[in-house]
Amino acid sequence: MLQSERPKAAQRAANVAIVGATGAVGVELIGCLERRGFPTASLRLLASERSAGRRIGGHVVEAVSMDAFAGVDVAFFSAGAGVSRAYAPLAAAQGALVVDNSSAFRMDPNVALVVPEVNAADLPAGPGIVANPNCVTAVSVMALGPLRALGGIVRVIGATYQSASGAGAAAMDELTASTAAQLAGEAFAPKVLPHPYAFNLFSHNAAVDPETGYNGEEEKVMAEHRKILGLPDLRISFTCVRVPVLRAHSMALSVEFDRPVSPSAAREILAEAPGVRLVDDRAANHFPMPVEASGEDDVLVGRIRQDLSDPEGKTLALFLSGDQLLRGAALNAVLIAERLWR
Amino acid sequence: MLQSERPKAAQRAANVAIVGATGAVGVELIGCLERRGFPTASLRLLASERSAGRRIGGHVVEAVSMDAFAGVDVAFFSAGAGVSRAYAPLAAAQGALVVDNSSAFRMDPNVALVVPEVNAADLPAGPGIVANPNCVTAVSVMALGPLRALGGIVRVIGATYQSASGAGAAAMDELTASTAAQLAGEAFAPKVLPHPYAFNLFSHNAAVDPETGYNGEEEKVMAEHRKILGLPDLRISFTCVRVPVLRAHSMALSVEFDRPVSPSAAREILAEAPGVRLVDDRAANHFPMPVEASGEDDVLVGRIRQDLSDPEGKTLALFLSGDQLLRGAALNAVLIAERLWR
């Protein structure tokens, strides 16, 4: 509140770089910066050698290199964990505020992992790397964070309905191309994803831990919930599933508290929560859907009810949909940058 | 085992009627009877006035009426609860073994609700109505039934990924037509389902209880689990979601037992369970998928792991896919009829 009352003129414009500018998230980052009026003095778009020379909105894409971060104030990384590990520390060492969308530093105890509406207090005071969470985590904690006002969260069981966009622009193309092929009665060999995607769904394609049976996506989501919510002992289990939806992630959550909780109290809290929109119309059977979450900044929350498998009344069931590219990635990264860049 | 060793000649062939023969399940019923060699002396296909006169595989469809069940030995009903309420008792009164696929009688304390692999002992000795469960229940209990060998099941939390076929052939057509329209950039107004279906998902369209917030599909599934598993006090919660998949239902289950259980013991039990196929290859990331369950009699079960949200080790997580039209409806009905018709 106070910050937005400060005169805009007091804020110096930043030299901004986006690494991974040609990817699905990179494109949304450019859009979010513009739409939200992030004070940008210059915008440097960086990507792999392969994409260098492409033009995006008047900017020529440059190949990322050791020299690319000179004079950069704010750097967004969204080109995978390998690129982040190679270049993000370098950018930070040169004084940039780095917001990293990859998994490279999320669980580093020296790096803040932040959803600003939930744990802005974890943000560092000076330059360095801040991690943006996995897209499932980013959507989920938008509801779970505010619900801590009801009582301590002790257990979460989640099942996800994840969209193609989480696997990048090429996966979105594969979903539409394979679906068109099936409708035309033509064969289609998957190239990006390991399984047929048209009118199909499959367990998330991250590698599965041979011991626990959880896949890498689930492990990330579970660990990141604990870190962002500040609940190191949270009992949590997720099942992550890829569904044939283009760009919004949905999830069914069962959330247990340390005391009895009421759905109506949860609804009141979520109705006031920033970045959350209640879509919970039982009479009209209108609840969160990917088509309505797509392109929206807010996470849609509904199906809020007492979980009847808990006779003690401590558990709530919820259903969420949130835009994977915005709340799950680009928007959250820009919200972090807004808080850091003062 | 013993039964299949009985000489076929000892079994009188039955006069069979199918009510709802032109629907998605009706067509599968005809196929299942043929494929499994059900001893059929005559086959009467019944449907609404509107469908009367249509020909299916050499049979002329007749309008269902009060007189349609004379001489019928086995009647399958799959034309909705209203038709079943009107005609099933009549057919039974005339001596037919009735297998009802609707929800009309499932929770009637005088009617057995049966998945033969799980609770064949509940089948009556003589003529009358036997209910076929909801398609989610039918798939789920194929795994839960055998797992009772590990210990008592005390709690189930489920999230479903339900296919178009559960809403009938018209919904399957709407999924493909609306998807084709979206790929062509054309508008499409949903007629069968209440929400856009192309590359979208939505909470199951059954009416929502204004008090509990559970929808009618979830209420059915929860009550039917208790009845079939013989666990009247089972603590159970489901979230039922329609996904853009054509004909197999999937679900993520968290199943709590009354004692610590091991995933490897569960895997051994399910590997031997009739009607179940283990698809649980962690190294290859190959787990149950609708495309592989479609057209299959077996329910695919995988992602079998300790649910890490339960530190006592009493909870297993599972992921299932089963053909909604076969295991979820037609196949189960024919399996019931095979047991009844001796």
Side-chain angles (χ1 to χ4, degrees):
Chain A
M1 284 294 190
L2 277 173
Q3 201 192 343
S4 67
E5 289 163 18
R6 269 199 322 200
K8 287 276 180 196
Q11 198 173 22
R12 183 169 75 80
N15 295 312
V16 175
I18 298 177
V19 184
T22 57
V25 173
V27 170
E28 297 294 333
L29 276 167
I30 299 168
C32 278
L33 290 169
E34 285 180 4
R35 179 161 56 89
R36 296 186 60 85
F38 189 85
T40 305
S42 70
L43 181 61
R44 181 172 292 180
L45 302 188
L46 302 166
S48 62
E49 281 285 355
R50 192 163 36 87
S51 297
R54 278 178 56 183
R55 296 187 73 89
I56 299 182
H59 300 273
V60 179
V61 176
E62 302 167 54
V64 64
S65 71
M66 304 298 262
D67 308 320
F69 301 97
V72 167
D73 298 306
V74 177
F76 297 95
F77 278 75
S78 187
V83 172
S84 291
R85 278 194 206 95
Y87 294 102
L90 190 81
Q94 292 178 61
L97 303 168
V98 173
V99 184
D100 182 27
N101 193 48
S102 84
S103 63
F105 304 102
R106 287 179 192 151
M107 296 312 299
D108 184 326
N110 299 314
V111 172
L113 175 67
V114 174
V115 170
E117 290 87 342
V118 178
N119 64 332
D122 290 347
L123 287 169
I129 300 171
V130 173
N132 208 37
N134 167 284
C135 41
V136 170
T137 312
V139 171
S140 170
V141 300
M142 287 297 293
L144 297 184
L147 288 177
R148 289 176 298 180
L150 289 174
I153 296 177
V154 296
R155 187 182 192 185
V156 177
I157 296 175
T160 72
Y161 303 71
Q162 294 179 234
S163 63
S165 60
M172 298 170 78
D173 291 343
E174 184 153 299
L175 174 57
T176 52
S178 61
T179 304
Q182 176 156 336
L183 289 171
E186 293 162 6
F188 185 94
K191 290 168 210 76
V192 179
L193 292 165
H195 301 294
Y197 203 177
F199 305 114
N200 190 33
L201 56 83
F202 46 88
S203 183
H204 192 283
N205 44 299
V208 179
D209 184 316
E211 293 304 315
T212 67
Y214 282 82
N215 63 47
E217 179 84 352
E218 292 159 353
E219 288 171 343
K220 283 185 212 172
V221 168
M222 289 151 62
E224 293 175 21
H225 271 77
R226 293 192 181 102
K227 183 166 178 176
I228 295 173
L229 295 172
L231 298 171
D233 298 323
L234 178 66
R235 294 155 49 201
I236 183 165
S237 177
F238 262 74
T239 299
C240 288
V241 178
R242 188 80 73 191
V243 295
V245 162
L246 282 164
R247 64 174 277 172
H249 283 1
S250 303
M251 61 199 72
L253 301 180
S254 178
V255 187
E256 183 180 334
F257 295 81
D258 61 6
R259 67 200 72 180
V261 289
S262 88
S264 60
R267 208 169 284 113
E268 280 172 32
I269 288 167
L270 292 168
E272 300 297 321
V276 168
R277 180 148 56 91
L278 273 187
V279 181
D280 202 20
D281 187 338
R282 293 176 178 181
N285 212 318
H286 185 203
F287 301 109
M289 293 191 287
V291 287
E292 294 190 348
S294 293
E296 293 292 317
D297 285 352
D298 288 345
V299 170
L300 313 186
V301 183
R303 299 296 326 269
I304 303 166
R305 61 202 195 280
Q306 204 88 51
D307 182 320
L308 292 179
S309 73
D310 175 7
E312 294 181 43
K314 295 178 175 174
T315 307
L316 295 177
L318 310 169
F319 195 78
L320 280 58
S321 289
D323 188 299
Q324 186 272 326
L325 294 171
L326 293 176
R327 170 51 62 180
L331 173 68
N332 197 71
V334 172
L335 292 175
I336 290 172
E338 287 177 358
R339 302 252 184 170
L340 291 172
W341 182 251
R342 305 213 152 150
Chain B
M1 284 293 187
L2 277 173
Q3 200 190 344
S4 66
E5 291 164 16
R6 268 198 321 200
K8 286 275 179 197
Q11 199 172 23
R12 182 169 76 82
N15 295 311
V16 175
I18 297 177
V19 183
T22 58
V25 174
V27 170
E28 297 294 333
L29 276 167
I30 299 168
C32 278
L33 289 169
E34 285 180 5
R35 179 161 56 87
R36 295 186 60 84
F38 189 85
T40 305
S42 71
L43 180 61
R44 182 172 292 180
L45 303 186
L46 301 166
S48 63
E49 280 286 354
R50 195 162 34 89
S51 297
R54 278 178 56 183
R55 297 188 74 91
I56 299 182
H59 300 273
V60 178
V61 176
E62 301 167 55
V64 64
S65 72
M66 305 297 262
D67 308 320
F69 301 97
V72 167
D73 298 305
V74 177
F76 296 96
F77 277 76
S78 188
V83 172
S84 291
R85 278 193 205 94
Y87 294 103
L90 191 81
Q94 292 179 62
L97 303 168
V98 174
V99 184
D100 182 27
N101 193 47
S102 84
S103 63
F105 304 101
R106 287 179 194 151
M107 296 313 297
D108 184 327
N110 299 314
V111 172
L113 175 67
V114 175
V115 170
E117 290 87 343
V118 178
N119 64 332
D122 291 348
L123 287 169
I129 301 171
V130 173
N132 208 35
N134 167 285
C135 42
V136 170
T137 312
V139 171
S140 169
V141 299
M142 288 298 293
L144 297 184
L147 288 178
R148 290 176 299 181
L150 290 174
I153 295 177
V154 296
R155 188 182 192 186
V156 177
I157 295 175
T160 72
Y161 304 70
Q162 293 180 235
S163 63
S165 61
M172 297 171 78
D173 291 344
E174 184 154 299
L175 174 56
T176 51
S178 61
T179 304
Q182 176 157 336
L183 289 171
E186 292 163 8
F188 185 93
K191 290 167 210 76
V192 180
L193 291 164
H195 301 293
Y197 204 177
F199 304 114
N200 191 33
L201 56 82
F202 46 87
S203 183
H204 192 283
N205 44 297
V208 179
D209 183 316
E211 293 303 314
T212 66
Y214 283 81
N215 63 47
E217 180 83 352
E218 292 159 353
E219 288 172 344
K220 282 185 214 172
V221 168
M222 290 151 63
E224 293 174 22
H225 271 77
R226 292 193 182 101
K227 183 167 178 175
I228 294 173
L229 296 173
L231 299 170
D233 299 324
L234 178 66
R235 296 155 49 203
I236 182 165
S237 177
F238 262 75
T239 298
C240 288
V241 177
R242 188 80 73 190
V243 296
V245 162
L246 283 165
R247 64 173 279 172
H249 283 2
S250 303
M251 61 199 73
L253 301 180
S254 176
V255 187
E256 183 181 335
F257 295 81
D258 61 5
R259 68 199 72 181
V261 289
S262 88
S264 60
R267 207 169 286 113
E268 280 172 33
I269 288 167
L270 292 168
E272 300 297 320
V276 168
R277 180 148 56 92
L278 273 188
V279 182
D280 201 21
D281 187 338
R282 293 176 177 180
N285 213 317
H286 184 203
F287 302 109
M289 295 191 287
V291 287
E292 294 190 348
S294 293
E296 293 292 317
D297 285 352
D298 287 345
V299 170
L300 313 186
V301 183
R303 298 298 324 270
I304 302 166
R305 61 203 196 279
Q306 203 89 50
D307 182 319
L308 292 179
S309 73
D310 175 6
E312 295 180 43
K314 295 177 177 176
T315 306
L316 295 177
L318 310 169
F319 195 77
L320 279 58
S321 290
D323 188 297
Q324 186 272 325
L325 294 172
L326 293 175
R327 170 52 62 182
L331 173 68
N332 197 71
V334 173
L335 292 175
I336 290 171
E338 288 177 358
R339 302 251 183 170
L340 291 172
W341 182 252
R342 304 215 153 148

